Amino acid sequence: MVKHRSSSRLSSSSARFFSRKAVPLYLIFIFAFTIWILVFTSRNIQTDDQTQDHQQNHQHRDSRKNLQKKRSEDLDSQLWTPPFSYGLHPCVKPSSRYKEFIESDRYITVRSNGGLNQMRTGIADMVAVAHIMNATLVIPELDKRSFWRDSSVFLDIFDEEHFIESLSRDVKVVRKLPKEVESLPRARKHFTSWASVGYYEEMTHLWKEYKVIHVAKSDSRLANNDLPIDIQRLRCRVLYRGLRFSPPIETLGQKLVERLKSRAGRFIALHLRYEKDMLAFTGCTYGLTDAESEELRVMRESTSHWKIKSINSTEQRVEGLCPLTPKEVGIFLKGLGYPESTVIYIAAGEIYGGDDRLLELKSRFPNLVFKETLAGEEELEGFTGHATKTAALDYIISVESDVFVPSHSGNMARAVEGHRRFLGHRRTITPDRKGLVKLFDKVERGQIKEGAKFSNLVKAMHQDRQGAPRRRKGPAQGIKGRARFRTEEAFYENPYPECICSSKERKEP
């Protein structure tokens, strides 16, 4: 009995001992477990935060890349993409009221005057005149007395057979006068410039005395505006469909376009109007030496058909009447945002001052391409000494270029711009020369530097000079009489609306 109580006391004592020991161990276990939970949770929270931060950084980088990509695409679009054309398309088909050509024994002979594009637009006018006067047109004689004195005949420059056949419903075209008519007296006429249909209808009185009318000049024989739509569309059919270049010119021209595309993907055609005759004619001597200025003055004064002899070069330049110099073109294109790597085809004759004059342009845009570097000697063999043929190559390449930029608003610049509008308003940048001269002079005086501010000014100045669709401009306000015709935008520079139709009208095949 005593032994039993003793054992019980021992057991009770042991239990209390272990109970006292277990309490701290339990607490230690609870504390350790809590610490573990906190550490684990903290790690998970940290991992989640890091993951979230990583995701946010990744999203930020993606967003930045997308923004940069969009900016790059926007800039690319601003530099290269054609302006939005609102569904406009070429339309040159005659209306239901159009009267086709009726066979006649009356003939018109023509001596085309000027360079290639002055002759082209003049020939288109004379086809329309022959139609109005119901006369047979003899293949025009090309100008051989211009500055270049090119001996080429119509067949050398144009596809004669195509010209005759494509216009067979509009006017009869023959290669030469019939023998029985050759010896007959002719009425030699200088038809008035920018004439109306009514004027030529009055001129039909000449048929009472003559069977042949010889036209001494072909350029600007028809008004730009207020002509019947069928006459306007006939002019477009001639220029854009009938006056196709001869097969050798057309073939080489397209080959050169393909080479430029394969080399660069896309390119600018720069009509750099900085030849000797242009500078002499305009009296523009900015940036030239005294000897060069004197040479141009002598040339102008000795050219009989250039009426204005004394010209103030500074006034010409300030009024924006001078071609941009090669250096100015380089500053201009850089200001628009074109990169240094841009390939630029120089559509021009011999630059006055040679390679030295191109150094400033080449320092900004090294990838200048010329006919001579694009084609082999054998390919150009038939073109040497024939400025009209080489001008035709320049025309083809300029029309097909991604961007066309003329340094002066001459005949080629206007003709190419009009053709590009007709084909879908391809990007054509027309420099605001008057505005640019002010900026160039500020750069020269150190008042502004080439850079972001200058670039923004250039871009703003040319925002609406990219070849987007617009109706042809009429005469300037305040000018009366026949002088107002000189202020009108040329029909061939912008044949909208007569030869360019809206998307509501069915497209022609």
Side-chain angles (χ1 to χ4, degrees):
M1 190 75 176
V2 173
K3 190 184 250 189
H4 177 70
R5 280 199 291 271
S6 179
S7 291
S8 295
R9 283 196 298 271
L10 182 62
S11 297
S12 177
S13 177
S14 297
R16 285 196 297 271
F17 174 78
F18 284 111
S19 178
R20 285 196 298 270
K21 290 283 187 183
V23 170
L25 287 171
Y26 176 73
L27 290 173
I28 290 169
F29 175 76
I30 292 297
F31 179 74
F33 183 73
T34 303
I35 294 297
W36 182 81
I37 290 294
L38 287 171
V39 170
F40 181 78
T41 306
S42 175
R43 282 181 177 177
N44 281 343
I45 291 170
Q46 188 175 10
T47 303
D48 289 343
D49 287 345
Q50 288 174 343
T51 302
Q52 190 174 3
D53 287 345
H54 179 72
Q55 288 175 342
Q56 287 177 345
N57 288 337
H58 188 70
Q59 288 173 353
H60 182 66
R61 282 197 300 270
D62 284 349
S63 177
R64 194 166 56 211
K65 283 181 180 178
N66 289 334
L67 182 61
Q68 288 173 345
K69 183 180 178 183
K70 187 176 185 305
R71 284 177 178 170
S72 177
E73 288 174 350
D74 288 346
L75 178 61
D76 196 72
S77 176
Q78 291 169 17
L79 295 177
W80 299 101
T81 306
F84 188 65
S85 62
Y86 303 94
L88 295 171
H89 56 87
C91 52
V92 295
K93 274 189 174 181
S95 72
S96 57
R97 301 183 299 275
Y98 183 67
K99 294 180 180 179
E100 294 186 5
F101 171 73
I102 301 172
E103 189 82 24
S104 81
D105 59 352
R106 302 156 180 168
Y107 297 87
I108 290 179
T109 61
V110 181
R111 192 187 75 80
S112 299
N113 60 299
L116 172 68
N117 291 287
Q118 195 171 344
M119 290 192 291
R120 287 179 68 249
T121 54
I123 290 167
D125 274 9
M126 292 314 303
V127 169
V129 168
H131 176 85
I132 295 167
M133 298 185 70
N134 195 37
T136 295
L137 179 68
V138 179
I139 288 287
E141 176 191 348
L142 302 189
D143 192 342
K144 296 177 177 59
R145 294 183 293 179
S146 64
F147 173 75
W148 300 280
R149 298 192 179 278
D150 192 336
S151 61
S152 300
V153 296
F154 191 95
L155 185 63
D156 296 323
I157 308 300
F158 304 108
D159 187 334
E160 192 173 87
E161 192 65 37
H162 173 78
F163 179 73
I164 294 171
E165 290 180 3
S166 66
L167 299 172
S168 59
R169 296 176 62 184
D170 303 301
V171 65
K172 183 176 180 181
V173 181
V174 296
R175 290 180 172 82
K176 57 183 181 179
L177 285 170
K179 288 184 178 180
E180 63 272 17
V181 179
E182 267 185 340
S183 57
L184 296 178
R186 306 177 190 184
R188 299 183 180 275
K189 288 292 297 181
H190 277 82
F191 286 138
T192 188
S193 301
W194 301 295
S196 66
V197 168
Y199 170 84
Y200 286 106
E201 287 174 342
E202 290 177 10
M203 288 296 107
T204 57
H205 75 270
L206 293 169
W207 298 132
K208 294 176 182 178
E209 297 183 45
Y210 302 96
K211 281 187 175 289
V212 182
I213 297 174
H214 177 70
V215 183
K217 292 182 70 175
S218 63
D219 65 325
S220 303
R221 295 306 103 184
L222 277 170
N224 294 305
N225 303 301
D226 302 322
L227 295 181
I229 191 168
D230 276 322
I231 295 301
Q232 299 288 55
R233 289 188 175 180
L234 172 55
R235 296 167 86 182
C236 290
R237 285 201 298 279
V238 179
L239 196 64
Y240 304 133
R241 303 281 171 83
L243 273 174
R244 192 163 66 190
F245 291 116
S246 64
I249 294 174
E250 197 70 38
T251 300
L252 181 57
Q254 293 303 330
K255 275 184 182 179
L256 299 186
V257 170
E258 289 169 11
R259 287 174 194 172
L260 279 163
K261 294 280 187 183
S262 62
R263 175 186 296 191
R266 54 196 182 187
F267 67 97
I268 292 175
L270 170 62
H271 183 45
L272 190 58
R273 198 72 172 92
Y274 210 74
E275 299 97 340
K276 184 177 180 180
D277 68 309
M278 168 53 72
L279 296 176
F281 177 74
T282 57
C284 296
T285 60
Y286 174 77
L288 302 181
T289 65
D290 290 342
E292 288 171 330
S293 300
E294 178 62 16
E295 183 182 26
L296 296 180
R297 185 192 65 78
V298 170
M299 179 180 179
R300 182 171 64 255
E301 291 188 354
S302 61
T303 305
S304 58
H305 60 277
W306 290 353
K307 296 178 182 178
I308 302 174
K309 303 300 182 183
S310 180
I311 299 176
N312 185 312
S313 179
T314 302
E315 290 179 2
Q316 284 282 95
R317 182 169 177 272
V318 169
E319 289 299 316
L321 301 175
C322 290
L324 297 181
T325 68
K327 176 183 177 179
E328 290 172 338
V329 171
I331 297 173
F332 170 59
L333 292 178
K334 187 178 177 182
L336 286 173
Y338 286 97
E340 184 181 355
S341 59
T342 302
V343 171
I344 300 177
Y345 174 79
I346 304 295
E350 185 178 348
I351 302 300
Y352 190 56
D355 292 340
D356 289 344
R357 193 75 70 208
L358 294 169
L359 288 177
E360 291 277 8
L361 172 59
K362 200 164 188 176
S363 67
R364 291 172 173 82
F365 295 95
N367 295 321
L368 300 184
V369 182
F370 303 84
K371 287 179 286 291
E372 295 77 14
T373 58
L374 200 57
E377 287 185 16
E378 291 182 1
E379 290 177 309
L380 292 174
E381 190 176 348
F383 292 79
T384 305
H386 296 280
T388 309
K389 286 185 178 182
T390 55
L393 290 178
D394 284 338
Y395 184 89
I396 292 170
I397 295 169
S398 296
V399 168
E400 297 297 330
S401 65
D402 298 277
V403 178
F404 175 65
V405 180
S407 67
H408 190 259
S409 55
N411 292 309
M412 177 165 168
R414 290 194 290 267
V416 171
E417 179 178 349
H419 202 158
R420 289 171 68 85
R421 287 181 178 277
F422 180 78
L423 293 174
H425 291 88
R426 298 172 178 179
R427 186 171 291 277
T428 302
I429 305 174
T430 309
D432 178 356
R433 296 190 303 278
K434 189 172 183 178
L436 284 171
V437 163
K438 294 177 182 177
L439 285 180
F440 295 149
D441 287 346
K442 285 183 178 180
V443 171
E444 195 74 26
R445 292 192 295 265
Q447 295 173 327
I448 189 172
K449 292 182 179 180
E450 290 184 58
K453 183 180 178 182
F454 177 85
S455 182
N456 289 336
L457 291 170
V458 172
K459 289 175 182 176
M461 190 184 293
H462 293 85
Q463 189 174 357
D464 298 324
R465 302 175 72 92
Q466 308 277 328
R470 60 171 176 76
R471 288 177 172 266
R472 191 168 58 256
K473 296 175 184 175
Q477 293 183 349
I479 299 179
K480 298 180 180 180
R482 296 196 59 79
R484 73 186 187 280
F485 293 126
R486 290 187 178 276
T487 68
E488 292 179 334
E489 184 175 22
F491 172 74
Y492 296 112
E493 184 177 358
N494 184 8
Y496 179 50
E498 297 94 338
C499 301
I500 299 173
C501 298
S502 69
S503 56
K504 296 176 183 178
E505 302 173 76
R506 191 173 63 182
K507 286 189 177 182
E508 297 177 1

